[in-house]
Amino acid sequence: MPQQTSEFILESLCRQHNLEPRVPQIMMANEIDRMEDGTSLVIPADTGTGKSLAYSAAAISEVMHGGRVLISTSTKILQDQLSGDLPGWVPPEITVHDIRGKNNYRCPMLQKQAPTPVLQNETADTISEFSGSEHDWKKYLSVDSNDCLGAKCQMRHICPSVQAHRNMDQANIVLTNHSMLALELKTGFISKDMPFSLIIIDEAHDFESYVMKIMAVSITSGRLRFLHKRLKAVAREETLLPQYASEFDNLMVKILSKDEEIAIESPSMRYQYLSDLFVRINGHLASLQLDVDHSQYERASNLRRKLRGDLQTVINWQNTSGRNGIIIAKGGNKISLEVSPLSVANFLDKHLWSMEEARIVLTSATLPFDIHDKLGMKKTKEVWNLPTVFDYQKQGLLFVPNGGREELKYKYGTPNHGMLGRDQLTPRSQFLLNILQRVSGGSLVLFASNYDLNMAYKVLRQPLEAMGKTCHKQGQYTNPLLMEKFKSDVTSVLFATRSFEQGVDFPGPTLQCVVFDRVPNPPSQDLWIKALTDYHGGYVKAHKSGVYNRMRQAAGRAIRTTEDRALVVVLDHRFAKLTRHLQEFEVTHDVNRVVEWLGEIKGDVK
């Protein structure tokens, strides 16, 4: 029926919201319609194109033809946005269900121990419905997979997380995120128990990294000591975990050491020493007798089971180490052992691409050209020619100060002089303040670390609010509430981390300026980074494209319509020679051009 095609539904949705369907949207919807079962589609589309609406129309069409759809996003922010928008787009007979990790749901068991009556009586089932701070939610109302008692919890019958998973198999369209999708693929839940005829992976440039995280195992001495504390009250005998933790640290020092007298240079010997140690730890944990009547038994037993499973994974990996698996020791303040595949191709071939009745769509504004190789895709069609609807040369200005700016060598503050008095700012803080005060619309300032975020917010909040600009900080509220507050004041400033780089929609005058504090470069000397570098044949190939993609995604937050105007600022001179990778903006290294450009658009919408 023509009324059930994705293009027809897209046009209908656009009419409902007083929008004009764009050519890239129509092309995407039609490409999805033409897919055959058991095939994949790679289809990049510019930020602001409206791909969410296009693939939502395809999802509705699929359900009307008797299928079921799963939509996965990289960020919870985009998942929040879709869970708010999609129910209003679909016909009433189509059900949409949102599924997330355990820490996004209220834990009734933990809630009983909350310190205030307000938190004890909180009725919000998910963090997106919670009106308090993100800190309160994580500390008093939710648990992660390590602390969740699962099937043994006495309050499982009223657990919002359990109910959400039960409801998933009744939904026509399921919304999730890449972490949850990778986890469900690993357990076999989706392919065996929950078949889907159409799977849409948005922000697919990040999918590989999320799959790797789900497959990875991390062992630290701190984890052993933490389990010792949990077992102390429950075990009928004293554990040897503190001694094993010290032995583990000593072994890691030898593995990382460059001193020929103590270093263990042979990879096979490293693996053997680790395997022997973990076999002994596992045997010790298995022999411990626990008091099953103790109130902490379930949690301690759960942690023991998970550690034993991870230790066995490392032991088994000794026999499979090679091109698809590696053991890495990380140094610095924390020594840990990381076991992870360097390629997810085999895993996805077994658990995702083998779904013969499913059609799988990968989309993003910044898909790498070799994504099919990295993910091991088969029976794949690639569409790289969707037209852009934006004139970036006219709509945007990219400002990257050159390496000669002395003030950019400073931080916003240090523990010794973080505030510098109420009337003093570091040169870097003053430089950023001078830019933000000239922006007539909203500004999003993105940081590579929470330390720099908190310090910049602390020193800049007072002078910015004295200028009439409201300041918001990530973590101050839950993300949905924070975005609502930011959107409600078109002159406000939002200080955030990389989680706001993508999946956030700020149309109109809400966002006029995006600032990157630093280029988000992976540390080239990190042993894990080195391993990936060697595997992919060079640092640039392995990591630079990811850096550019993240920055282009964030820049795209500001250009959402053809009328938008936006300033993108990168306060890192290392990016000065690489500006060609960030959209097609006009580029300047001169702050005077920034002042002139902002003056030109001051009366415009963005």
Side-chain angles (χ1 to χ4, degrees), residues 116-361:
T116 67
V118 173
L119 291 172
Q120 291 173 3
N121 296 321
E122 177 60 51
T123 59
D125 283 341
T126 66
I127 187 173
S128 60
E129 300 167 338
F130 183 55
S131 59
S133 71
E134 185 176 351
H135 172 270
D136 284 348
W137 179 272
K138 290 182 177 179
K139 187 171 183 179
Y140 303 118
L141 296 178
S142 71
V143 295
D144 59 20
S145 58
N146 288 326
D147 283 326
C148 178
L149 301 182
K152 297 182 179 180
C153 180
Q154 297 176 354
M155 306 189 76
R156 181 177 175 83
H157 62 289
I158 59 170
C159 175
S161 176
V162 172
Q163 190 59 49
H165 278 78
R166 286 175 179 165
N167 293 339
M168 185 165 69
D169 62 355
Q170 303 297 324
N172 302 120
I173 301 175
V174 174
L175 299 176
T176 189
N177 52 68
H178 296 346
S179 290
M180 283 296 297
L181 174 57
L183 181 61
E184 300 291 8
L185 288 173
K186 184 179 179 180
T187 59
F189 184 67
I190 286 181
S191 58
K192 296 177 183 177
D193 304 328
M194 185 87 43
F196 291 92
S197 56
L198 177 62
I199 297 175
I200 299 168
I201 302 176
D202 196 356
E203 302 171 320
H205 59 280
D206 274 343
F207 187 52
E208 178 190 24
S209 64
Y210 281 94
V211 176
M212 279 188 175
K213 289 176 184 176
I214 290 297
M215 299 175 68
V217 168
S218 177
I219 307 294
T220 67
S221 60
R223 187 176 176 186
L224 299 178
R225 293 188 176 97
F226 178 76
L227 179 57
H228 168 73
K229 292 180 180 179
R230 284 295 180 94
L231 291 173
K232 197 171 183 179
V234 181
R236 299 185 186 275
E237 58 189 286
E238 188 70 18
T239 83
L240 301 178
L241 290 177
Q243 295 93 308
Y244 283 129
S246 298
E247 187 176 345
F248 173 81
D249 277 343
N250 291 334
L251 180 56
M252 290 296 97
V253 168
K254 292 180 180 179
I255 289 176
L256 289 170
S257 176
K258 296 181 180 179
D259 187 338
E260 294 182 0
E261 294 185 4
I262 66 171
I264 306 174
E265 295 184 354
S266 167
S268 61
M269 289 300 296
R270 293 179 183 178
Y271 298 158
Q272 189 60 53
Y273 280 124
L274 288 166
S275 183
D276 290 346
L277 174 60
F278 291 166
V279 167
R280 285 187 284 124
I281 296 175
N282 237 350
H284 172 63
L285 290 172
S287 68
L288 289 175
Q289 297 295 315
L290 306 185
D291 182 0
V292 296
D293 296 324
H294 196 281
S295 61
Q296 293 299 313
Y297 167 77
E298 296 293 356
R299 281 200 167 87
S301 178
N302 190 38
L303 288 172
R304 178 177 68 165
R305 177 182 57 80
K306 290 188 176 182
L307 178 59
R308 289 197 65 203
D310 286 351
L311 291 172
Q312 192 61 48
T313 296
V314 179
I315 295 169
N316 294 341
W317 214 293
Q318 311 309 309
N319 301 320
T320 59
S321 293
R323 186 166 178 81
N324 290 325
I326 191 161
I327 294 180
I328 299 165
K330 288 187 177 181
N333 296 328
K334 174 184 174 183
I335 300 178
S336 67
L337 187 73
E338 309 289 336
V339 179
S340 176
L342 292 176
S343 170
V344 301
N346 290 339
F347 173 85
L348 292 177
D349 181 49
K350 178 180 179 181
H351 297 287
L352 184 61
W353 312 131
S354 59
M355 297 184 189
E356 296 180 355
E357 296 182 0
R359 296 175 295 145
I360 304 170
V361 179

Side-chain angles (χ1 to χ4, degrees), residues 345-447:
N346 290 339
F347 173 85
L348 292 177
D349 181 49
K350 178 180 179 181
H351 297 287
L352 184 61
W353 312 131
S354 59
M355 297 184 189
E356 296 180 355
E357 296 182 0
R359 296 175 295 145
I360 304 170
V361 179
L362 279 72
T363 186
S364 169
T366 50
L367 286 175
F369 284 101
D370 60 348
I371 189 169
H372 59 284
D373 291 331
K374 286 187 174 183
L375 301 185
M377 300 178 70
K378 298 176 181 178
K379 298 181 182 178
T380 303
K381 179 180 180 180
E382 301 182 20
V383 179
W384 296 92
N385 60 346
L386 292 190
T388 182
V389 296
F390 305 120
D391 183 351
Y392 291 113
Q393 275 287 330
K394 177 182 177 182
Q395 293 182 244
L397 177 68
L398 172 60
F399 172 48
V400 185
N402 57 42
R405 299 209 69 94
E406 184 69 22
E407 57 266 54
L408 296 187
K409 298 178 182 179
Y410 293 84
K411 285 185 171 291
Y412 299 100
T414 69
N416 295 327
H417 63 280
M419 291 299 291
L420 292 177
R422 290 198 172 272
D423 298 324
Q424 289 182 291
L425 295 173
T426 63
R428 186 180 187 88
S429 299
Q430 187 63 57
F431 186 79
L432 178 56
L433 179 64
N434 290 340
I435 293 174
L436 295 177
Q437 70 180 355
R438 289 181 167 87
V439 178
S440 57
S443 299
L444 174 63
V445 189
L446 296 168
F447 296 87

